[in-house]
Amino acid sequence: MKFTVLTLFPDIVKAFFENSIMAKAVEKEIIAYDLVNIRDFATDKHHTCDDGTYGGGAGQLMLAEPLSKALDSVKAGKKYVIYVTPSGKPLTQDVAEKLSHKDELVFICGRYEGIDQRIIDSYVDAEISIGDYVMSSGEVAATVVIDTVYRLVDGVISHESLEEESFCDGLLEYPQYTHSEEWKGMKVPPGLLSGNHKEIRKWRLKKRLIKTMANRPDLIWKARQNGQLSQEAEKMIEEITETVFLKTQKKKRSKR
């Protein structure tokens, strides 16, 4: 799979591709990348890539001309083009999964107030947001999307690791522990030390449900709608809910 990134600051993105798991994936030729500096396509001596907006308002907007030339140089018209922007559709694991099956993704990294709408209308296939907040750097947002996608490409990470991650089946990931068995008075839960794989699986499922119910209850509802929750999970949810209710009632009585 190939990632092509159009940016005013290629060095920001370059560091991402040259480190950690991504660097290994590039070395194995599972992943390829190309960084295109938009300033190289500006025609004036100052390599201007931004200007004020029609209708007034604060901030500068990236010019259509140098950006369109940069896009044409990578034959973007024949590829899947993504513009990362706070006004785009939310990035989810499902979106990442679908993007991971593309042969090549072209990213436009915005700066200032964004990019000319005519570029979006002419080239962009998907506008993606990484969250409900505004950043100054389209480069950072693009690397978030790329990091979410590339790890799903065959050969980058083992299938076993991917299957047990958060969101893989509608739930968040369970807590994990490593050596030492005791650290600062805190011990690894006994169930994980038993060697009983059936009990370990049940412990992990219960912990996933507890975490998801506490942090992202909306995911429980969604998992139910998609038929992702087993009867075992539903029974555990009832037990967890009852336990929480009893604890709440006990606290209320103790305050009287």
Side-chain angles (χ1 to χ4, degrees):
M1 184 179 194
K2 183 176 181 181
F3 296 100
T4 298
V5 183
L6 279 64
T7 168
L8 294 173
F9 302 94
D11 285 345
I12 295 176
V13 187
K14 185 180 180 183
F16 171 76
F17 283 100
E18 293 182 346
N19 288 278
S20 191
I21 299 172
M22 174 60 89
K24 294 177 182 178
V26 172
E27 185 180 351
K28 293 177 182 177
E29 298 185 348
I30 300 170
I31 299 296
Y33 71 96
D34 185 19
L35 306 180
V36 179
N37 192 331
I38 300 167
R39 290 194 188 279
D40 292 341
F41 298 88
T43 55
D44 68 320
K45 64 179 181 179
H46 298 295
H47 299 286
T48 304
C49 288
D50 65 289
D51 205 343
T53 59
Y54 281 113
Q60 301 286 96
L61 200 68
M62 287 181 67
L63 294 166
E65 188 172 354
L67 185 49
S68 67
K69 289 181 177 178
L71 286 161
D72 290 341
S73 74
V74 298
K75 297 180 172 58
K78 298 179 180 179
K79 298 166 185 177
Y80 198 83
V81 180
I82 295 171
Y83 173 45
V84 282
T85 168
S87 59
K89 293 182 178 180
L91 173 65
T92 64
Q93 195 66 23
D94 287 341
V95 170
E97 180 67 39
K98 291 174 182 176
L99 293 177
S100 70
H101 297 295
K102 302 287 185 184
D103 292 327
E104 181 173 353
L105 298 176
V106 177
F107 286 83
I108 300 174
C109 298
R111 277 273 170 169
Y112 318 117
E113 291 300 306
I115 65 176
D116 193 296
Q117 181 63 38
R118 290 167 292 187
I119 292 292
I120 298 173
D121 296 340
S122 301
Y123 292 93
V124 173
D125 295 295
E127 295 178 75
I128 294 180
S129 168
I130 63 168
D132 295 339
Y133 46 85
V134 179
M135 302 174 67
S136 61
S137 172
E139 288 75 18
V140 173
T143 56
V144 168
V145 180
I146 293 169
D147 190 84
T148 308
V149 172
Y150 94 96
R151 59 197 309 283
L152 300 175
V153 176
D154 284 344
V156 175
I157 295 177
S158 70
H159 288 291
E160 183 181 5
S161 295
L162 295 175
E163 285 173 358
E164 294 189 347
E165 291 184 324
S166 293
F167 309 109
C168 68
D169 57 1
L171 301 175
L172 301 180
E173 194 171 14
Y174 50 79
Q176 298 192 61
Y177 302 83
T178 186
H179 295 92
S180 296
E181 189 175 320
E182 182 175 342
W183 177 76
K184 292 188 175 181
M186 294 179 283
K187 296 182 178 180
V188 174
L192 295 178
L193 304 174
S194 66
N196 186 324
H197 294 293
K198 182 179 179 180
E199 291 303 313
I200 290 173
R201 182 195 63 78
K202 289 176 66 176
W203 182 91
R204 286 175 170 172
L205 175 58
K206 186 174 182 179
K207 290 298 182 180
R208 295 184 73 194
L209 290 166
I210 290 172
K211 179 179 281 190
T212 306
M213 290 169 71
N215 296 349
R216 292 290 304 275
D218 57 300
L219 293 178
I220 296 290
W221 179 85
K222 186 177 179 181
R224 280 176 170 158
Q225 292 293 106
N226 295 334
Q228 291 176 290
L229 290 184
S230 63
Q231 289 185 346
E232 181 185 29
E234 290 287 7
K235 185 178 180 181
M236 282 186 180
I237 289 174
E238 290 181 12
E239 293 171 353
I240 294 164
T241 304
E242 184 178 355
T243 301
V244 171
F245 174 76
L246 292 174
K247 284 183 178 179
T248 302
Q249 292 300 105
K250 187 176 180 180
K251 284 183 179 179
K252 286 182 178 178
R253 287 194 295 269
S254 66
K255 289 181 179 180
R256 290 175 184 174

